[in-house]
Amino acid sequence: MPTSLIPAPRGVVAGTGETRLTEASGLYADAGTEGVARWLGGVLRAATGLPWTQAREPAEARDGVRLSLAADLGPEAYRLVSGPAGVLVEGGDAAGVLHGAQTLRQLLGADAFRRAPVRRDRVWTVPHVTVEDAPRFRWRGLMLDVARHFMPKEGVLRYLDLMSAHKLNVLHLHLTDDQGWRVEIKRYPRLTEVGSWRARTKIGHRASPLWDDRPHGGFYTQDDLREIVAYAAERHIGVVPEIDVPGHSQAAIAAYPELGNSDVVDTAALTVWDTWGINPNVLAPTEDTLRFYEGVLEELLEVFPADAGPFSPFVHIGGDECVKDQWRESRTAREQAAKLGLADEDALQSWFIGHFDRWLADRGRRLIGWDEILQGGLAPGAAVSSWRGYAGGVTAARAGHDVVMCPEQQVYLDHRQDAGPDEPVPIGYVRTLEDVYRFDPVPAELTPEERERVLGTQANVWTEVMEDQGRVDYQTFPRLAALAEVAWSELPAPADRDFPGFERRMTEHYRRLDALGVAYRPPGGPRPWQRRPGVLGRPIDGPPPAL
């Protein structure tokens, strides 16, 4: 059992024998670990049916579990020792204790991930073992696009549990786009009254002739988001919200037409976009637009406090794929550029992003955006999500900026997992489980000092062709398990990684995912109900370029 752990720990020493957990097994929490104890007691009571009495003294946890902090361990590091006296889980901090508790759950077997006991006569044992572990990267993330297809609050909470089970610690929520605005802003109610739903939805790639003529929509109230943030914090996960500007903004313009380039197009006639691709309708680069989004961000900062979890000071402002044709045609935009002494439209976007860079910094927060925001320069505290390849991350790190590596050629999980004809709505390059497992977030050309700028990595799940939870699960798993190991574990160089060994460990991990109800892609290909015959995708042949 210790050899099936995912992500792989740094050190495992197997002992002889096992600890048997019974009705008498207690759970003791040293100071600083009480929150982990509440979580662990809850999941273990549900799965095992054992009472897991809260022990008042460490000795009462004999043949049970003791949680403790250890001064010799670093942030998020843990040590798990199972022996004759029971199980001790120590962490460098509460997050480390939680990670150790997740490892304990894996050691108990797949049924420990269920919500109720499946066999009342089950004997629960933990093999005698010592596990020493710590993460490679600080930022180990998942981006969920809830704008293209809305994921109800319960689905987001479920994904936080799945992330925690894989020792991931950053949820990047893509809350706004052309196809939907998903966050309540009280001073601008039309953002959700109008912008949160669309009349119909393209099925498949934008060239597909198929449509779903049902309205699609939804949004999170501010209290919904506070609940998500609090739920994440209990699992030592930080939530980074994204409000995408100045492109990807047609839903906002449909709600408030004055935000668009109304001297070029009839913005009052725009609706929330019902198809996919890069949209030409972008925000007008005016002072009024800045004031509007300052109002949005003021409410957002209150809902997403800076002390709620890892990397909580960050706010993502997008900045990608801003088509500037309307700015070139707009007299208002040209006059604004001339007034500011800017050379062209690219400089105008840099001014736009730079404004929010300073605005957030003045409030003790940090801006992060897609790698296009590098154009024109950034303030020292800003960070970059490198999505178009490695190049943006290299440029950012060499300029002294922190980087999250998420190149689309490697870790965009909307991309297809196989070249076979049964792959549902095939998008992009083939990225197999092995491809993700051999991904390395650190570009080889960086110096040791520049490599320190790589905060970590995340997988991005864009949901244009993922209409429900099952489709999100299929595209995300099992590849997220591979990304989790890349982000957490100290692995050899990509070519030297033991993928067959990882596949063997995945045999047990699939049982865990089954217990969690995850509709993953089976190793042999999609099940009949996971296919989407006749739905046009956008496959790209050949290996992805090294960018």
Side-chain angles (χ1 to χ4, degrees):
M1 178 68 71
T3 60
S4 72
L5 298 174
I6 289 178
R10 295 195 177 192
V12 177
V13 178
T16 302
E18 59 187 20
T19 296
R20 182 170 179 173
L21 305 176
T22 69
E23 296 273 341
S25 297
L27 176 61
Y28 179 79
D30 278 341
T33 70
E34 297 89 350
V36 179
R38 283 193 297 272
W39 171 83
L40 182 61
V43 296
L44 290 185
R45 288 184 195 100
T48 67
L50 300 176
W52 288 101
T53 303
Q54 193 76 33
R56 292 168 295 178
E57 300 292 339
E60 295 179 11
R62 183 176 178 84
D63 297 327
V65 177
R66 176 181 173 182
L67 307 179
S68 183
L69 299 179
D72 64 321
L73 295 175
E76 295 195 87
Y78 71 89
R79 179 168 49 239
L80 183 154
V81 181
S82 171
V87 180
L88 171 65
V89 180
E90 297 178 294
D93 52 18
V97 177
L98 177 69
H99 299 320
Q102 290 286 13
T103 294
L104 169 61
R105 212 172 163 203
Q106 291 195 20
L107 292 171
L108 284 167
D111 285 345
F113 291 83
R114 296 188 180 276
R115 296 186 183 182
V118 293
R119 291 186 299 277
R120 288 289 178 178
D121 59 348
R122 165 73 183 265
V123 177
W124 293 92
T125 61
V126 182
H128 287 176
V129 67
T130 298
V131 181
E132 298 265 2
D133 206 3
R136 179 187 180 192
F137 290 109
R138 290 182 290 151
W139 184 302
R140 306 179 305 279
L142 172 68
M143 189 224 70
L144 281 178
D145 167 18
V146 296
R148 271 52 176 270
H149 277 98
F150 179 64
M151 178 180 286
K153 179 192 69 177
E154 291 76 11
V156 178
L157 299 178
R158 172 178 177 266
Y159 259 84
L160 287 167
D161 282 330
L162 293 173
M163 289 175 63
S164 178
H166 291 83
K167 299 181 171 65
L168 299 173
N169 69 340
V170 180
L171 174 63
H172 170 179
L173 270 184
H174 183 79
L175 289 166
T176 71
D177 216 295
D178 299 303
Q179 295 85 3
W181 183 282
R182 307 296 179 208
V183 51
E184 176 190 34
I185 303 297
K186 293 182 178 180
R187 74 187 70 183
Y188 304 129
R190 287 177 58 84
L191 287 172
T192 47
E193 291 171 359
V194 174
S196 69
W197 69 277
R198 57 181 180 264
R200 63 175 187 169
T201 299
K202 173 67 69 174
I203 299 177
H205 183 248
R206 60 180 174 273
S208 166
L210 304 176
W211 292 90
D212 182 344
D213 288 320
R214 297 172 298 174
H216 177 86
F219 66 93
Y220 308 108
T221 67
Q222 292 189 2
D223 281 346
D224 288 337
L225 291 168
R226 290 186 182 96
E227 180 182 355
I228 288 169
V229 169
Y231 194 85
E234 290 174 349
R235 288 147 184 79
H236 298 277
I237 296 171
V239 184
V240 175
E242 180 182 354
I243 303 295
D244 208 341
V245 296
H248 290 285
S249 297
Q250 184 162 318
I253 297 169
Y256 291 92
E258 63 271 22
L259 295 174
N261 297 284
S262 55
D263 58 343
V264 176
V265 296
D266 181 7
T267 56
L270 294 177
T271 60
V272 178
W273 212 24
D274 55 13
T275 189
W276 319 119
I278 300 175
N279 191 308
N281 294 303
V282 302
L283 297 173
T286 66
E287 296 290 340
D288 288 344
T289 302
L290 298 184
R291 299 293 87 74
F292 183 96
Y293 276 88
E294 286 172 3
V296 169
L297 291 172
E298 283 175 1
E299 294 193 22
L300 199 77
L301 296 190
E302 194 275 327
V303 174
F304 293 87
D307 59 353
F311 300 101
S312 292
F314 281 97
V315 176
H316 207 292
I317 50 73
D320 63 316
E321 297 180 330
C322 179
V323 181
K324 301 178 179 65
D325 293 346
Q326 291 182 359
W327 288 2
R328 293 185 184 95
E329 296 179 36
S330 168
R331 179 177 178 179
T332 300
R334 291 196 304 271
E335 289 177 348
Q336 177 74 319
K339 175 183 174 183
L340 296 168
L342 303 177
D344 54 24
E345 291 78 19
D346 288 338
L348 198 55
Q349 178 172 344
S350 179
W351 164 79
F352 195 104
I353 298 298
H355 172 83
F356 289 109
D357 193 348
R358 295 183 297 274
W359 189 92
L360 288 167
D362 288 344
R363 288 154 181 80
R365 308 301 284 267
R366 292 186 66 185
L367 179 146
I368 184 169
W370 304 113
D371 53 58
E372 287 96 328
I373 69 172
L374 285 164
Q375 299 166 3
L378 287 174
V384 171
S385 301
S386 187
W387 76 274
R388 291 182 293 178
Y390 285 97
V394 170
T395 300
R398 287 177 174 169
H401 295 289
D402 289 338
V403 179
V404 176
M405 295 301 302
C406 49
E408 65 168 327
Q409 301 86 357
Q410 309 297 330
V411 290
Y412 268 35
L413 300 189
D414 51 312
H415 284 200
R416 58 192 173 135
Q417 303 181 65
D418 188 85
D422 290 335
E423 208 61 32
V425 200
I427 300 295
Y429 299 101
V430 172
R431 292 288 86 190
T432 65
L433 182 66
E434 181 173 0
D435 290 329
V436 176
Y437 189 68
R438 296 194 188 279
F439 164 62
D440 195 321
V442 181
E445 59 265 43
L446 294 181
T447 67
E449 294 76 15
E450 291 164 350
R451 291 178 185 181
E452 293 298 316
R453 288 293 183 179
V454 180
L455 297 174
T457 184
Q458 67 182 34
N460 291 345
V461 180
W462 300 103
T463 62
E464 287 95 333
V465 298
M466 302 181 211
E467 70 277 10
D468 55 32
Q469 177 177 289
R471 283 287 292 123
V472 174
D473 280 3
Y474 179 90
Q475 293 298 137
T476 304
F477 288 97
R479 292 182 295 180
L480 190 65
L483 186 279
E485 184 147 313
V486 167
W488 177 275
S489 305
E490 290 285 353
L491 298 176
D496 299 328
R497 293 177 187 172
D498 181 13
F499 180 69
F502 178 75
E503 282 189 303
R504 286 192 294 273
R505 285 184 286 126
M506 280 300 299
T507 301
E508 176 65 19
H509 201 64
Y510 286 122
R511 295 183 62 237
R512 299 174 191 133
L513 295 178
D514 287 332
L516 288 164
V518 177
Y520 57 86
R521 181 189 189 275
R527 296 180 173 94
W529 56 88
Q530 292 174 318
R531 301 166 187 164
R532 295 292 187 275
V535 179
L536 184 68
R538 184 182 58 85
I540 304 175
D541 293 330
L547 299 175

